[in-house]
Amino acid sequence: AGDCAEVRNPRDGRRGSEPVWYVGRMMGEVLGRTLAGTKTAYLPGPWFNSAKFFDIEYQTYGTVMNVHGGKQAQYFWKHPKQNKFVTISYHPETEEFEGINAFGVRLRHVYFDKALREKQRVGQVVGGLAAANFDPEFYGKWHKQLQSDFTTQTGITLKKSNILKTLLSR
């Protein structure tokens, strides 16, 4: 039922139709509760999608525009030897974190969901990437290279993130 639904007045940053698995699941849950007598609002939270193509992970959280400049600043990082790519978007004036696209790395959904809901600054989000890394135990670590390059290219100071500590205290 969820894949058949269309939202008439979508929230900011969301579309009326979002044909991906997790949206269909959430819409189906809302419909099921409502039909069972408990009127339930559809509150999807920040956009995300995750997929795996053979051995390459793909994840996106928030909004990463396909056109550079204007209302969104972007930082792009590529691992020097592996198929790992990350694009981070943020507001050019306020430095509010707006989204991330990642290829070849696994990220924790809960980390970016919290960062987007709290409208955290990109320096804090990038500063805590060690906590966001969800790659298997024997994969090489990549976040230190990205953090160093991010600071050099953007001039934005990284801040220690308490996101993981907050998440673990629940």
Side-chain angles (χ1 to χ4, degrees):
D3 277 343
C4 299
E6 182 172 348
V7 177
R8 289 187 182 166
N9 299 306
R11 301 176 86 173
D12 286 343
R14 302 298 294 250
R15 296 181 180 167
S17 177
E18 297 174 329
V20 296
W21 177 85
Y22 90 92
V23 172
R25 186 201 72 215
M26 287 189 304
M27 286 180 164
E29 289 172 357
V30 168
L31 177 61
R33 287 187 184 116
T34 300
L35 289 174
T38 304
K39 190 173 180 179
T40 305
Y42 174 63
L43 303 170
W47 168 256
F48 76 94
N49 195 8
S50 178
K52 186 167 184 165
F53 304 104
F54 300 102
D55 63 342
I56 296 178
E57 301 278 344
Y58 161 75
Q59 291 176 296
T60 187
Y61 299 99
T63 303
V64 180
M65 294 180 177
N66 60 351
V67 178
H68 297 276
K71 297 180 181 180
Q72 190 175 79
Q74 292 184 349
Y75 161 78
F76 176 78
W77 175 80
K78 178 185 182 306
H79 191 282
K81 297 179 182 175
Q82 299 174 349
N83 285 327
K84 296 180 187 291
F85 308 90
V86 175
T87 302
I88 298 170
S89 64
Y90 56 96
H91 191 279
E93 294 165 6
T94 65
E95 295 182 4
E96 179 183 320
F97 173 71
E98 294 182 351
I100 186 168
N101 282 345
F103 292 88
V105 298
R106 292 179 70 195
L107 302 170
R108 293 181 195 280
H109 169 89
V110 68
Y111 181 89
F112 293 102
D113 185 67
K114 184 170 178 59
L116 288 161
R117 287 177 191 268
E118 293 180 356
K119 300 181 184 293
Q120 294 185 3
R121 301 292 170 256
V122 69
Q124 182 178 3
V125 175
V126 174
L129 280 180
N133 186 6
F134 197 57
D135 276 333
E137 180 181 356
F138 298 108
Y139 279 37
K141 301 297 180 206
W142 50 269
H143 64 274
K144 288 183 181 179
Q145 293 171 325
L146 184 147
Q147 289 169 325
S148 175
D149 187 62
F150 177 85
T151 302
T152 301
Q153 291 214 10
T154 66
I156 296 174
T157 303
L158 301 185
K159 296 183 172 124
K160 295 275 185 182
S161 174
N162 62 354
I163 294 175
L164 184 60
K165 182 179 177 184
T166 303
L167 295 173
L168 294 177
S169 68
R170 290 182 180 176

